[in-house]
Amino acid sequence: MKTKRTFLSILTLCIALLFTACSGKEAASTEKSQDTKTESSSVSTDDSNSKLDNLYQQENQIFADHEDVWNKAFGMMSKSAADQNGNYADYLADTVESNKDSFTDDELKTLTADIETIRKIEEQIAEIEKKNTGSDNTDQKNSSNDASPFKNFSGQDYDGNSVDESLFSKNAVTVINFWFTGCKPCVAELSKLNELNDAIKSMGGEVVGINTETFDGNKTAIKEAKTLLKSQGAKYRNLSIDSSSDAGKYASDIMAFPTTILVDRNGNIVGDPMLGGIDNQDNYDTLMKQIQSVIDADSTKK
């Protein structure tokens, strides 16, 4: 996925639930693994990353300053088909425009002004990223295309049991749902995800939740997530993973929450991510069709 920001840090900042691991903007700038050929190129890269991080923080602060209205906007992104190569400001503007009747005049003014500020910041980000494009970046992209972020997967469930990539090999399809505790649309679909998990068990499938606030074994966040899951009757497996892992970095590029993806038996991501909760019946039906497709393909290979 692109090295752009995510809504993880945005949403989290907006509701005062700060966490570093799930900050796509921060991860995009600080977790770039490039082979340094010379000392000067290393300094140059560090400087670029520092500038990017500063710009990402500026954007995050905008969302934090107007947390109520932006949190409202984020909750309306359930059917967004975010173009990962598109303009971030345009993505926000399109989302607001398609839901403008849900906002007051004052809210629309705030959102519009913020988006224009973000657009200017995005121009600076694009310029820096353009300068950073080179052979090292090309190698990194080729590598990311060849290897799924779940090929060397590892984590722990909330009871401390270790999990590795065999999680996927045991299932025809694994439904991975990325969420966090303060995300209202995420919480709203928890019981439906549990229903989905029960429905696909006999089909060779499993639902797995990854709460981004529980990254790096955050005990407080894990305790809160466990309490919330129990209150919603969600018994399917949830995992804590390292923010620096390939899967953790993948999560940092997610554009909106909740996001659900399908992973096949070999740890490969299948199809496009689904943005939005499956408590929406249309989303649920669409996801079930995708799940059945992966299961059918798995049966054919046997």
Side-chain angles (χ1 to χ4, degrees), residues 27 37 49-50 76 81-83 99 117 121 138 141 145-146 176 181 186 191 214 236 239 248 252-253 262 271 284:
K37 295 182 179 180
N49 287 344
S50 178
M76 297 174 177
D83 179 3
N99 296 282
T117 302
I121 295 173
T138 299
K141 289 179 181 178
N145 286 336
D146 293 337
I176 301 182
T181 308
C186 300
S191 60
T214 68
Y236 58 91
L239 305 176
S252 74
D253 270 337
L262 303 183
Y284 183 88

Side-chain angles (χ1 to χ4, degrees), residues 179-191:
W179 67 292
F180 66 94
T181 308
C183 168
K184 292 181 180 179
C186 300
V187 175
E189 70 167 345
L190 292 178
S191 60

Side-chain angles (χ1 to χ4, degrees), residues 107-146:
E107 288 174 333
L108 283 174
K109 288 179 181 178
T110 297
L111 292 169
T112 300
D114 283 352
I115 289 171
E116 289 313 304
T117 302
I118 290 170
R119 191 180 302 281
K120 293 176 182 178
I121 295 173
E122 284 294 306
E123 291 174 357
Q124 298 177 63
I125 291 173
E127 185 63 28
I128 293 174
E129 291 184 336
K130 182 178 179 180
K131 290 179 180 179
N132 284 347
T133 356
S135 59
D136 287 339
N137 285 349
T138 299
D139 291 342
Q140 184 179 4
K141 289 179 181 178
N142 290 339
S143 174
S144 64
N145 286 336
D146 293 337

Side-chain angles (χ1 to χ4, degrees), residues 79-202:
K79 293 187 178 181
S80 299
D83 179 3
Q84 296 175 24
N85 296 311
N87 183 285
Y88 185 50
D90 286 344
Y91 173 67
L92 295 175
D94 289 345
T95 299
V96 172
E97 176 64 24
S98 62
N99 296 282
K100 63 181 180 181
D101 292 340
S102 300
F103 300 103
T104 65
D105 289 342
D106 286 342
E107 288 174 333
L108 283 174
K109 288 179 181 178
T110 297
L111 292 169
T112 300
D114 283 352
I115 289 171
E116 289 313 304
T117 302
I118 290 170
R119 191 180 302 281
K120 293 176 182 178
I121 295 173
E122 284 294 306
E123 291 174 357
Q124 298 177 63
I125 291 173
E127 185 63 28
I128 293 174
E129 291 184 336
K130 182 178 179 180
K131 290 179 180 179
N132 284 347
T133 356
S135 59
D136 287 339
N137 285 349
T138 299
D139 291 342
Q140 184 179 4
K141 289 179 181 178
N142 290 339
S143 174
S144 64
N145 286 336
D146 293 337
S148 165
F150 302 102
K151 288 292 187 180
N152 298 304
F153 184 81
S154 65
Q156 289 187 326
D157 65 23
Y158 291 171
D159 293 321
N161 300 306
S162 296
V163 177
D164 58 24
E165 62 269 17
S166 64
L167 162 72
F168 307 112
S169 63
K170 294 176 182 177
N171 299 319
V173 61
T174 303
V175 181
I176 301 182
N177 176 259
F178 293 94
W179 67 292
F180 66 94
T181 308
C183 168
K184 292 181 180 179
C186 300
V187 175
E189 70 167 345
L190 292 178
S191 60
K192 196 69 174 179
L193 284 166
N194 195 71
E195 178 184 321
L196 175 66
N197 187 52
D198 291 342
I200 65 176
K201 277 182 180 179
S202 61

